[in-house]
Amino acid sequence: METLNVPTTSRIEFVDITNLIRDIVSGNGWSDGILTIYCPHTTAAITINEAADPDVRSDILKTLSKLIPHRDNYAHMEGNSDAHIKASVVGPSQQVIIENGQLLLGTWQGIFFCEFDGPRTRKVFVQFVACDSGA
Ligand code: ZN
């Protein structure tokens, strides 16, 4: 398993970690299998979506914040209930198929670390499970 440290710079943001994940895969020589990208935090998440147009991620963040506002009639005293809810809606992990050492992402897809209560330095766990390539 590998651990990625992701520094964030805003309360809410998407950080494109696709190339960092690619570097981990190639650095370890991982070839054919399943990669799990897991966020061990209660106010952050992992998603896969369009990486080409940055307006897509800002539209997602804007919509999440409209649906789940920062301030509302929440009971949790820490004042970051919106971040907990956003993290649960988006989810803590993603899986990507690795074939011949390549991430099988669509042309426009990227892997994003989703910060909902930053800025801070976050961890992402990356675990690879090899599969028989069938060859
Ligand atoms: Zn909290």
Side-chain angles (χ1 to χ4, degrees):
M1 194 195 77
E2 295 275 345
T3 302
L4 203 57
N5 290 305
V6 181
T8 63
T9 58
S10 306
R11 179 163 195 273
I12 292 187
E13 72 176 302
F14 278 15
V15 180
D16 188 340
I17 58 170
T18 314
N19 287 332
L20 296 171
I21 301 293
R22 281 202 178 99
D23 289 348
I24 288 175
V25 170
S26 63
N28 283 282
W30 292 336
S31 180
D32 293 277
I34 303 292
L35 195 69
T36 298
I37 301 131
Y38 183 85
C39 165
H41 301 286
T42 60
T43 55
I46 304 289
T47 196
I48 294 177
N49 212 299
E50 170 155 345
D53 180 1
D55 284 347
V56 172
R57 61 197 94 147
S58 65
D59 282 347
I60 294 171
L61 287 171
K62 202 163 70 178
T63 302
L64 279 172
S65 293
K66 190 159 63 180
L67 296 170
I68 309 158
H70 185 189
R71 303 283 176 219
D72 207 335
N73 199 21
Y74 302 120
H76 178 49
M77 293 300 286
E78 202 187 5
N80 63 353
S81 270
D82 67 310
H84 290 290
I85 297 165
K86 287 165 184 150
S88 269
V89 167
V90 174
S93 70
Q94 292 288 328
Q95 286 189 317
V96 176
I97 299 167
I98 307 296
E99 190 178 77
N100 294 321
Q102 303 298 309
L103 278 64
L104 284 196
L105 292 170
T107 307
W108 309 111
Q109 286 182 317
I111 306 164
F112 294 95
F113 179 86
C114 311
E115 176 62 82
F116 296 125
D117 194 26
R120 0 181 168 183
T121 296
R122 302 290 207 164
K123 286 188 189 315
V124 174
F125 298 149
V126 181
Q127 175 71 282
F128 177 73
V129 177
C131 298
D132 189 331
S133 64

